[in-house]
Amino acid sequence: VVTTWLIALLHPSSYGLFTWHPLLQSLAIGSFTYGILTLQPTSRPKTKAAGLLRHQLAMIVLGFPMIILGTSAIYYNKVRGGHPHFTTWHGFFGIVTVCLSVVQVILGGGSVWFDGKLFGGNPRAKLIWKYHRALGYVVFPLYLLSAYLGGAWSNWASKYSIFVVRLVAYWIAPFVLLVAIFARVRLVSLPTLVTKPITCISHFLSLGNRTSKMQFNFF
């Protein structure tokens, strides 16, 4: 976030409608990151309620409007300049991720607001919430991928920053952030459809590890 803002604000020649795109998108991703982290470790009812409130503020009140405004800024900028849309991988993954975010807001809000009446109340709403959480762990890496593609490879970033800066900010930082997020994932909060393959793979790997130890001990 800091790197993107510095690149944008320290180069006056880049000012304009386009500049709002990296500024708002980076802030949105920062807000999404906080929203995920603040909800992951909660376990007690009080901490869950407080975490959910912070999660919704970060995701829906701050992050979602910013991502929509940032996307609208680049879309209108291309319309105004007569340029084609979604011609790069950054643009393609970006718009796909924004569309998935709309689905996420509907699933997440509908599963907890008004006791999940949008989905028929509990326990169906709780199941929808688990799928919302699982989809979030797909959407967030897509945001990081879009940021990587835009920050590491776009003409704008290449023009106004050196390679070392892009390497740290858009190659290394997203990877570290992704590892940090997934290291805190609790399988119990995800639907069985998602956790069962993971459990099977984990069981298979543990069996392979035990087998290799037995063979080593035998020889």
Side-chain angles (χ1 to χ4, degrees), residues 50-163:
L52 180 60
L53 177 60
R54 294 191 300 268
H55 175 78
Q56 293 184 42
L57 289 174
M59 295 292 194
I60 300 176
V61 177
L62 297 176
F64 187 69
M66 286 190 289
I67 209 73
I68 296 297
L69 289 173
T71 303
S72 301
I74 192 62
Y75 185 88
Y76 180 70
N77 186 66
K78 285 182 175 289
V79 170
R80 189 175 61 176
H83 302 298
H85 300 282
F86 318 124
T87 57
T88 64
W89 287 115
H90 169 67
F92 172 76
F93 281 109
I95 194 62
V96 168
T97 309
V98 170
C99 291
L100 288 175
S101 296
V102 175
V103 176
Q104 274 293 79
V105 170
I106 296 172
L107 293 179
S111 63
V112 296
W113 294 340
F114 307 106
D115 296 323
K117 289 183 179 180
L118 179 63
F119 299 112
N122 293 322
R124 183 180 298 175
K126 286 187 176 180
L127 179 60
I128 295 295
W129 167 256
K130 288 192 173 186
Y131 279 103
H132 160 75
R133 198 158 188 167
L135 181 59
Y137 289 121
V138 175
V139 173
F140 186 72
L142 287 176
Y143 271 121
L144 294 181
L145 175 62
S146 300
Y148 156 75
L149 292 171
W153 298 102
S154 70
N155 293 331
W156 176 79
S158 300
K159 182 179 180 180
Y160 294 113
S161 64
I162 61 176
F163 174 73

Side-chain angles (χ1 to χ4, degrees), residues 210-219:
R210 286 199 296 268
T211 303
S212 62
K213 286 183 178 179
M214 290 173 62
Q215 291 175 344
F216 179 78
N217 291 332
F218 176 77
F219 286 107

Side-chain angles (χ1 to χ4, degrees), residues 170-191:
Y170 303 114
W171 291 66
I172 299 175
F175 176 75
V176 172
L177 188 57
L178 189 65
V179 172
I181 291 291
F182 275 85
R184 295 158 60 93
V185 174
R186 292 188 304 159
L187 294 181
V188 69
S189 64
L190 302 177

